[in-house]
């Protein structure tokens, strides 16, 4: 149960980070062709950081889960 909750939180954080990256352009507070406003720069840095860290955490979790599954498989054969 705890693992599902943790993975769900990481997925939500990843999606939230992607939204922060896309929001200035989707919502329209970044004028097309203009220099980036401060809010856009902030959203890109914060959203990119959140998305990157949560994705890295998901990859680490998946690698750990695969290692645990392979470890269980080796013990079952011997």
């Amino acid at each position: 149960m705890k693992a599902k909750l943790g993975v769900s939180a990481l997925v939500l954080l990843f999606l939230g980070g992607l939204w922060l990256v896309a929001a200035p352009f989707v919502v329209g507070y970044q004028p097309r062709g203009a220099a980036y406003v401060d809010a856009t720069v902030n959203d890109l840095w914060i959203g990119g950081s959140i998305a990157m860290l949560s994705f890295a955490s998901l990859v680490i979790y998946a690698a750990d889960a695969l290692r645990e599954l392979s470890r269980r498989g080796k013990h079952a054969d011997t």
Side-chain angles (χ1 to χ4, degrees):
M1 178 66 180
K2 287 182 183 180
K4 288 181 183 179
L5 183 63
V7 169
S8 299
L10 286 173
V11 168
L12 286 175
L13 276 171
F14 179 69
L15 293 175
L18 290 180
W19 170 250
L20 281 175
V21 170
F25 310 103
V26 173
V27 175
Y29 64 81
Q30 172 58 47
R32 181 171 286 191
Y36 285 168
V37 295
D38 289 339
T40 300
V41 173
N42 184 48
D43 280 359
L44 291 175
W45 277 105
I46 298 299
S49 298
I50 290 172
M52 180 185 63
L53 288 173
S54 60
F55 184 75
S57 298
L58 282 169
V59 168
I60 291 169
Y61 177 81
D64 187 50
L66 286 173
R67 185 175 60 221
E68 180 65 28
L69 285 174
S70 69
R71 187 178 314 145
R72 287 181 187 176
K74 287 180 183 176
H75 290 297
D77 291 339
T78 57

